[in-house]
Amino acid sequence: MSESLSPAAYPRRTCLAIVLAAGQGTRMRSRLPKALHQVAGRSMLAAVLAAVSGAGADHVVVVVGPDHDALAAEARKVMPDVGIAVQADRRGTAHAVLAAREAIAAGFDDILVAFADTPLVRTDTFSKMRVALACGETAVVCLGFEARDPTGYGRLVMKDGVLDAIREDRDASDEERKLTLCNAGLMGIAGRSALQLLDAIGCENSQREYYLSDIVAAARALKLAACALIAPAEEVMGVNDRVQLAAAEAATQARLRSQAMLGGATLVDPASVTFAYDTALGQDVVVEPSVVFGPGVVVAAGARVRAFSHLEGTSVGENAIVGPFARLRPGTRLAEGARIGNFVETKAAEVGAGAKINHLSYVGDASVGAKANVGAGTITCNYDGFGKHRTQIGAGAFIGSNTLLVAPVAVGEGAIVGAGTVVTEDVAADALALARAQLAQKPGWAARFRKKKGG
């Protein structure tokens, strides 16, 4: 919760957040529900749930359609105690909010209404809406924005600096259509008045739907105040199709890149770096061009991630080096000063301090001890067709190039494995392991072969 909502400023206020996710999303042209499409490595629904939770929501209800079990499952995955309400008939946004009637009636001080397809709204914006409600002078807070082209948006109609009405575009007069202050759709409602206001909304409009935007007129009729808060247009961007999804991704990436650089990381070519929503970079981290961070990556101070690398579910220790062209899959943990080189793939691998896996290797389901050296072309054979098995490489061990480590197997500390060896049993500490067929030579054979073939 923001500092402006701390107990020092206001008495403890309870909050219900209602996230509307019942839209069909036909313009996405997808078998996946619209709100499950991802921005920066998480679903839009998850992004909205995180934002309202950060603003201090004590309880969240997600409103879904009757055929949207996948949305309900995603909501519960992100927030196990979330409430699910079903809007059986789609009759407008106010009708959708009232699908959560039972939760509304529970008596929360503040009610936030958010949309699962509006993923860029910041926690701080929701907090500001709560602050406006906490002042006690308004029953409805509407989030608005200035539109370059207001066509299709509901207009916020102001009178003497006060929000007088929200007029849907299709129902607006010619004069009202000239207004550029538009409705973003998100609302804050005083809990004490919420059901009275929502039940007062009618459907006397061209679509015969119950518009949440009519709550302002309902408030005015009941002598209750409404106000507008203005947010940047980009922040309240809705996503209805793949073009808008790409725009939301671009806006989120710009935000994340800026946060990373202001936090002390160097991005050599910022526009080419892709972040996940939770990527964490320490001070003096250097990220070279065309790096992709999937969810769950933490990079400690002083590390360098070289070009064209892909990291997901990974922690990188201080002063470690990754790449170029490296792939670090979930469960990879690099200790301080570890090095992962070009065309190396790791998965569920613990790599000790100062250890090196520099070239063309796959190390999966493994632990590599401090200062061990894994030569080019080394493969941990971790899968037998039924299950995964671990490989252990001790501190200071040296694994020669083109070695196959058939798990489960362990190489002791300080051991040396000769190039080209297939290791099928444990190697003792400080031992040399070498498995290589004896080289046979046949003098003159190559010349006779070429003559026979006419070469």
Side-chain angles (χ1 to χ4, degrees):
M1 186 177 295
S2 69
E3 293 180 0
S4 54
L5 280 173
S6 67
Y10 298 101
R12 169 66 178 137
R13 297 178 63 84
T14 58
C15 178
L16 167 68
I18 301 171
V19 179
L20 305 185
Q24 291 179 304
T26 54
R27 280 182 280 174
M28 292 297 288
R29 298 185 181 275
S30 175
R31 290 173 291 181
L32 189 69
K34 177 170 64 170
L36 296 187
H37 285 264
Q38 293 194 344
V39 173
R42 66 176 168 181
S43 69
M44 291 191 287
L45 174 59
V48 175
L49 291 176
V52 296
S53 178
D58 299 280
H59 184 53
V60 179
V61 175
V62 177
V63 179
V64 302
D67 52 350
H68 283 176
D69 292 343
L71 280 168
E74 171 74 353
R76 292 189 179 105
K77 177 183 175 183
V78 174
M79 187 177 289
D81 59 350
V82 72
I84 302 296
V86 178
Q87 184 189 21
D89 300 312
R90 294 179 175 89
R91 301 191 62 191
T93 47
H95 183 260
V97 172
L98 280 171
R101 178 183 291 273
E102 183 178 346
I104 297 170
F108 291 91
D109 296 311
D110 305 331
I111 296 174
L112 296 174
V113 179
F115 294 84
D117 61 359
T118 308
L120 300 183
V121 182
R122 298 175 185 268
T123 287
D124 188 57
T125 298
F126 286 116
S127 293
K128 289 176 180 177
M129 296 170 73
R130 292 196 63 196
V131 169
L133 292 172
C135 292
E137 299 176 358
T138 185
V140 178
V141 180
C142 302
L143 196 61
F145 67 101
E146 286 286 349
R148 292 181 180 177
D149 179 6
T151 304
Y153 292 106
R155 309 305 202 277
L156 299 188
V157 181
M158 308 295 291
K159 183 178 292 185
D160 299 325
V162 176
L163 181 61
D164 187 64
I166 301 177
R167 199 81 68 223
E168 293 299 325
D169 184 68
R170 61 177 64 88
D171 299 316
S173 66
D174 290 342
E175 196 63 27
E176 288 170 337
R177 286 196 178 96
K178 295 178 183 178
L179 299 173
T180 58
L181 184 58
C182 294
N183 178 31
L186 291 85
M187 298 273 179
I189 309 171
R192 65 183 182 277
S193 308
L195 283 179
Q196 184 182 17
L197 290 169
L198 291 164
D199 285 333
I201 294 173
C203 59
E204 293 75 33
N205 51 66
S206 60
Q207 296 296 105
R208 307 302 296 172
E209 290 187 350
Y210 296 90
Y211 295 150
L212 183 59
S213 53
D214 285 342
I215 198 170
V216 174
R220 301 284 290 173
L222 292 169
K223 309 290 188 200
L224 297 173
C227 72
L229 293 180
I230 311 304
E234 182 182 82
E235 184 177 346
V236 295
M237 175 193 311
V239 174
N240 294 299
D241 56 34
R242 308 281 183 148
V243 175
Q244 293 174 338
L245 182 67
E249 181 72 38
T252 302
Q253 290 300 328
R255 182 186 293 181
L256 293 170
R257 292 164 187 152
S258 178
Q259 289 173 355
M261 291 185 286
L262 291 174
T266 294
L267 308 183
V268 176
D269 180 16
S272 72
V273 177
T274 300
F275 285 102
Y277 69 96
D278 61 350
T279 305
L281 305 183
Q283 289 186 342
D284 298 316
V285 167
V286 177
V287 181
E288 296 182 4
S290 301
V291 171
V292 176
F293 294 100
V297 176
V298 177
V299 183
R304 177 179 287 266
V305 183
R306 288 179 166 157
F308 296 99
S309 294
H310 187 289
L311 293 76
E312 181 177 359
T314 293
S315 67
V316 178
E318 291 190 9
N319 302 313
I321 297 176
V322 176
F325 295 98
R327 184 184 181 197
L328 274 55
R329 293 167 56 192
T332 296
R333 301 287 180 265
L334 307 185
E336 181 178 0
R339 294 193 178 189
I340 303 295
N342 48 286
F343 303 103
V344 171
E345 179 179 352
T346 63
K347 190 269 293 184
E350 303 279 345
V351 182
K356 299 177 183 179
I357 312 172
N358 274 333
H359 330 277
L360 301 157
S361 295
Y362 171 69
V363 177
D365 297 288
S367 60
V368 179
K371 297 185 178 179
N373 188 94
V374 178
T378 295
I379 304 294
T380 58
C381 306
N382 57 329
Y383 184 53
D384 63 7
F386 296 93
K388 300 293 181 67
H389 304 282
R390 289 195 66 80
T391 297
Q392 296 181 358
I393 299 172
F398 182 92
I399 310 299
S401 297
N402 210 35
T403 291
L404 302 181
L405 297 159
V406 183
V409 72
V411 177
E413 293 186 6
I416 296 175
V417 177
T421 296
V422 179
V423 180
T424 58
E425 59 184 56
D426 292 352
V427 177
D430 294 318
L432 169 65
L434 184 64
R436 202 179 284 161
Q438 184 175 358
L439 179 66
Q441 297 191 49
K442 298 182 179 182
W445 187 93
R448 293 193 297 271
F449 176 77
R450 285 191 294 269
K451 183 177 180 180
K452 179 179 179 181
K453 296 297 183 181

